[in-house]
Amino acid sequence: MTTFNQLTPQQVAYIAGFLDGDGCVNAQLVTREDYILGFQIRVTVTFYQKTKRHWFLVWLQKKLNCGKIRKRPDGMSELTLVGVQTVQPFLQKIVQYLLVKRKQASLVLYICHNLSKKQSPEDFVRLCEKVDLIETLNDSKKRSIKAKDVKKHLGVDN
């Protein structure tokens, strides 16, 4: 598990401000044939920067000691933190400093806290509905799988 205790309070506040301005806190539904319920809730935190400032994302990755960086073909670079084991402790550390993305972070933390491998279909669908709420807060346009699709797949009426 990654810890972010080496960051100073000033660094934490700075990183939160950077995330508020040039980042995204997200959750998405992904089909997974190897999962009992057939779906995974994937949580991510992504930082964006023009590729000419790629060095900054490298610096941030070293500070956080986690994440993957990629250069996109559109002149942008991104640093992405993926998964509950990384995203949850990161958001716990910075949520108090977020302004713009605090609701998304709080919802992702709720999802992380309540996600379980032995989850009932009904409880999983309720978490999927939180994923849908994050979509509205992020003005997402590309999501293809929604809670209603999971409900239908699992035959859940709630």
Side-chain angles (χ1 to χ4, degrees):
M1 178 160 71
T2 305
T3 62
F4 301 100
N5 294 331
Q6 76 278 9
L7 298 172
T8 68
Q10 293 83 2
Q11 289 171 328
V12 173
Y14 178 82
I15 292 167
F18 181 60
L19 179 61
D20 259 347
D22 285 327
C24 181
V25 178
N26 204 9
Q28 64 188 119
L29 301 170
V30 180
T31 56
R32 292 289 300 257
E33 292 179 17
D34 56 331
Y35 277 45
I36 292 171
L37 298 176
F39 294 89
Q40 171 191 15
I41 297 176
R42 180 181 298 151
V43 295
T44 58
V45 171
T46 307
F47 297 90
Y48 301 94
Q49 197 61 222
K50 285 194 171 240
T51 298
K52 70 181 181 179
R53 287 185 291 278
H54 181 84
W55 64 267
F56 180 77
L57 294 180
V58 172
W59 173 86
L60 184 57
Q61 181 186 41
K62 286 180 183 174
K63 277 288 173 198
L64 298 177
N65 196 30
C66 65
K68 301 253 187 237
I69 298 176
R70 80 174 179 114
K71 291 181 181 179
R72 300 183 340 195
D74 64 354
M76 295 293 290
S77 290
E78 59 188 36
L79 168 61
T80 305
L81 315 181
V82 180
V84 172
Q85 297 288 58
T86 302
V87 170
Q88 185 175 17
F90 174 74
L91 289 178
Q92 286 171 331
K93 188 79 171 174
I94 71 160
V95 68
Q96 67 183 339
Y97 297 100
L98 293 171
L99 298 175
V100 177
K101 298 191 170 76
R102 184 175 291 179
K103 286 182 183 177
Q104 293 94 317
S106 296
L107 283 166
V108 167
L109 284 169
Y110 177 87
I111 290 167
C112 290
H113 181 73
N114 290 286
L115 201 55
S116 165
K117 289 183 180 181
K118 297 180 181 180
Q119 198 135 47
S120 74
E122 295 79 11
D123 288 342
F124 186 72
V125 166
R126 280 191 278 283
L127 291 180
C128 293
E129 290 167 346
K130 300 292 186 193
V131 172
D132 285 357
L133 183 54
I134 292 168
E135 171 193 18
T136 64
L137 294 169
N138 282 344
D139 303 321
S140 178
K141 297 176 185 100
K142 294 183 180 181
R143 276 191 61 225
S144 59
I145 304 171
K146 301 193 182 216
K148 66 179 175 60
D149 303 312
V150 176
K151 270 186 189 179
K152 184 178 178 182
H153 175 81
L154 297 174
V156 172
D157 300 322
N158 72 339

